[in-house]
Amino acid sequence: MADVKFLKVTKKFNENVILNGVSVEIKDHEFVVIVGPSGCGKTTLLRMLAGLEEITAGDIHIDNILVNNIHPSKRQIAMVFQDYALYPHMTVEENMSFALRLMKMDKREISARVHEAAAILQLTKLLKRMPKQLSGGQRQRVAIGRAIVRKPKVFLFDEPLSNLDAKLREEMRVEIAKLYQRLNATIIYVTHDQVEAMTLAGRIVVMNHGIIQQTGTPIEVYRKPDNLFVAGFIGSPTMNFLHGKLSAEGEKLFLKNDSLTLYIPPFLLADGARNAGREVVLGIRPDDVLVGSGTRENCSEKIEGVLEVSELLGHRENLYIKAGENRVLATVEAFFNQSPGSKVSVRFNYRNMHVFDKKTQQRINN
Ligand code: ATP
C-alpha cells in the first residue's frame, strides 16, 4: 500500500480552471472520501492520479515518487467506476482475471487471486456467469473484484454506488466498509453523497468549484464546518441558516433581522461586542432546534412560530416552522401530534450553533 500527495494540482480544460491548486496528503491505509457537488472536479482529480488525465500544473506523488509523467499502467492503481465497465462477452471469472492475463501472470497465481477475491466478495458461485445474468450490486462487486486481484497500491472508487437503488446502495456501503477493514488498503473514494462520505471516510475532503473547502474526520467536518458551503453540504437534513446583523446593547450581543432578536452568549462568540455591525449567518442543525415549552440549559429564549408542514420519518419527525420571516427545520422525536397552522415555540441549542461571516462565508466562532 502507499501514500499519495497532491501538491498544488491545477487542471484547466481550455481556459476553464477545473481544479485550482489542490493540495492534500493521503496516508498509507487511509480511507479518504472526496465529496462535493456535481461538476466540482472530483473525477478529474482521480483521473489525474490514475494517469488518465494530464496535469496542467502541480505534482502528484505516490509513495514519494513523482508520477506526473509515469504511464497509468505503471502507477499500481486500480480504479472502480460508477458504470462498472465490465466486458459483456466475458464471464465473471474472465472479467476479474483480464488484467492479470494481459500481464501474462502465471495461470495458477491468477486463479488463486481470482478465487480469493471472489470469496471476499461472495462471488464464488457466480464466477461462470455473464454480466447480464447479474444484479447491479453483483456487477459492482465484480468491478471491485477486478481491482482487488491486481493488488494495487491504491484503490480509487469513482461514485461506485450511484447506479444502485437506495436499498442496495446501503448494503454495498456496508460491504465496502468491511472490505476496507479486510484489505487494510489505501482508498480514495469520490462521491457527491454526503451520507457515503460521513459513513465510510476516515477523513473527508470537501470540494467545491475545484477548491478544497475543508479536510477533516467526518465528525470534525460535521461539528466544526469551516465555512457556509461545508455547513450546508454536510449533514442531513441540511443545517438551518438565520441571516442578520450583530448588534450590541451594552455588554450584550444580539442577532437582529426583520422578525428576530436573538441573544448571542459570550461563550458562543468571544469578544462579541467587537463584532457589532457585522452581517452574519447563524447555522443550527435541525437536531439542535428544540421544540416545546420548558427551559433548557445553554438554549436560547423561546421563539414563537407556526408549524407549516410535518414529515413523519418513523421514529423521527421533521417540523418545518415559520418564525416571522425565518424558516426553521426542527427534527424531533415522533409523534409531535400537531397540525399545520399550530403555534409552536422553538429554542436553539447555543452549544452547537455556528456563526459565519456573511461576506467571507467563513466561520467566526470557535
Ligand atoms: P460529477 O459528480 O458530476 O461526476 P465531478 O465533480 O466528478 O462531477 P468532473 O467530472 O471532474 O466533476 O468535472 C469537472 C468539470 O470539468 C465539469 O465542469 C466538467 O464539465 C469539466 N470537464 C470534465 N472533463 C472535461 C473535458 N474532457 N473537457 C472539458 N471539460 C471537462
Side-chain angles (χ1 to χ4, degrees), residues 40-48 53 79 158-159 190:
C40 74
K42 309 178 294 291
T43 296
T44 305
L45 196 63
L46 275 201
R47 286 175 57 79
M48 289 200 295
E53 202 73 71
M79 195 155 167
D158 189 5
E159 308 236 10
V190 154

Side-chain angles (χ1 to χ4, degrees), residues 46-66:
L46 275 201
R47 286 175 57 79
M48 289 200 295
L49 175 57
L52 305 174
E53 202 73 71
E54 247 180 58
I55 302 167
T56 309
D59 290 331
I60 300 181
H61 296 256
I62 301 174
D63 252 356
N64 290 322
I65 294 169
L66 181 67

Side-chain angles (χ1 to χ4, degrees), residues 84-97:
Y84 325 135
L86 301 181
Y87 297 110
H89 58 287
M90 291 185 196
T91 62
V92 168
E93 186 167 13
E94 287 163 350
N95 263 287
M96 281 169 66
S97 60

